[in-house]
Amino acid sequence: DTGVSQDPRHKITKRGQNVTFRCDPISEHNRLYWYRQTLGQGPEFLTYFQNEAQLEKSRLLSDRFSAERPKGSFSTLEIQRTEQGDSAMYLCASSYDSGGGNIQYFGAGTRLSVL
Amino acid sequence: GDSVTQMEGPVTLSEEAFLTINCTYTATGYPSLFWYVQYPGEGLQLLLKATKADDKGSNKGFEATYRKETTSFHLEKGSVQVSDSAVYFCALSRYSSASKIIFGSGTRLSIRP
């Protein structure tokens, strides 16, 4: 078990460019979550997958954001036409429903800087 | 809507001091409550949890008790160490499983040797 892995760790881009982040969850976990964390704040929920189905999306997830989990394993988060306000840490988490509660395991995150 | 309010930081203490970080929540029903910790350069780690009223979560010398009557989940440790320096997040999840986690804004803790 290598934990939740995110790639890249850092991304610097110019305003208007598209970026894509990848998340590899813990292998037996069927649930995958994306959060966004800005400086000095707690993480905010963006979206959630159970297997390959995207079951919930936050109002924070504008039309420029899209997430996929095509085979129920890894997930990608794409931001189109990036804006400076998109600069944040993007966190991925995964969990497995064993009846013991919603314990989510987090990756180290991808830090996005939009210039 | 559901929310979590926690003590603002930064909090600076000397080694072996007693720690309390206050956390209160607003939610309908009976959410699960968590404390997560974020060490420098690392991802969020679950520190402890409690899933029903009067439950006490504990780990690494830290404790927190789910108080339904005061809607609180304060984090305590009797004797802090330099290695406890980190950012601590109080959080809730409204259902027993599958739901998003709602986090507080975090409290930065620094421990002086």
Side-chain angles (χ1 to χ4, degrees):
Chain A
D1 179 1
T2 57
V4 177
S5 177
Q6 293 189 244
D7 183 69
R9 292 293 305 273
H10 299 93
K11 179 70 177 178
I12 300 174
T13 191
K14 293 182 179 179
R15 188 174 54 186
Q17 298 294 304
N18 299 343
V19 295
T20 300
F21 311 140
R22 177 180 170 121
C23 171
D24 288 272
I26 294 171
S27 59
E28 66 270 24
H29 285 186
N30 59 344
R31 295 184 176 137
L32 188 147
Y33 306 77
W34 286 98
Y35 292 81
R36 182 172 69 187
Q37 185 179 17
T38 53
L39 199 60
Q41 298 299 315
E44 295 174 293
F45 171 79
L46 293 178
T47 189
Y48 148 63
F49 291 84
Q50 177 146 332
N51 300 312
E52 64 274 12
Q54 189 173 18
L55 296 187
E56 187 175 351
K57 293 196 291 186
S58 163
R59 287 172 291 178
L60 293 175
L61 212 66
S62 75
D63 292 344
R64 297 184 297 105
F65 288 70
S66 62
E68 295 182 345
R69 194 182 183 198
K71 297 183 180 178
S73 56
F74 73 92
S75 175
T76 58
L77 177 67
E78 181 183 17
I79 309 174
Q80 296 182 327
R81 305 181 303 281
T82 53
E83 302 173 355
Q84 288 185 327
D86 297 331
S87 295
M89 178 77 85
Y90 290 84
L91 300 172
C92 177
S94 69
S95 71
Y96 178 75
D97 182 16
S98 61
N102 184 23
I103 299 175
Q104 297 180 20
Y105 297 85
F106 283 79
T110 294
R111 182 171 296 283
L112 173 66
S113 297
V114 182
L115 304 179
Chain B
D2 298 343
S3 65
V4 175
T5 303
Q6 64 181 102
M7 180 175 171
E8 288 190 15
V11 174
T12 303
L13 296 172
S14 297
E15 204 165 21
E16 299 183 2
F18 183 85
L19 168 71
T20 300
I21 301 178
N22 291 336
C23 171
T24 57
Y25 68 90
T26 301
T28 56
Y30 296 88
S32 294
L33 301 176
F34 308 90
W35 277 99
Y36 275 82
V37 59
Q38 190 170 37
Y39 298 103
E42 297 184 17
L44 282 165
Q45 301 174 25
L46 178 66
L47 180 59
L48 53 84
K49 70 179 178 75
T51 57
K52 61 183 187 295
D54 300 325
D55 265 3
K56 178 184 284 188
S58 61
N59 187 26
K60 300 182 180 180
F62 290 90
E63 293 182 340
T65 300
Y66 190 142
R67 300 289 188 197
K68 182 69 175 174
E69 64 277 13
T70 54
T71 62
S72 65
F73 193 55
H74 305 320
L75 183 68
E76 297 182 337
K77 186 174 185 182
S79 176
V80 292
Q81 306 300 313
V82 172
S83 57
D84 294 327
S85 299
V87 182
Y88 292 81
F89 293 92
C90 185
L92 70 82
S93 178
R94 191 171 172 184
Y95 304 104
S96 62
S97 63
S99 181
K100 63 190 176 189
I101 294 179
I102 295 170
F103 288 89
S105 57
T107 302
R108 181 174 298 278
L109 174 66
S110 296
I111 307 300
R112 294 188 299 249

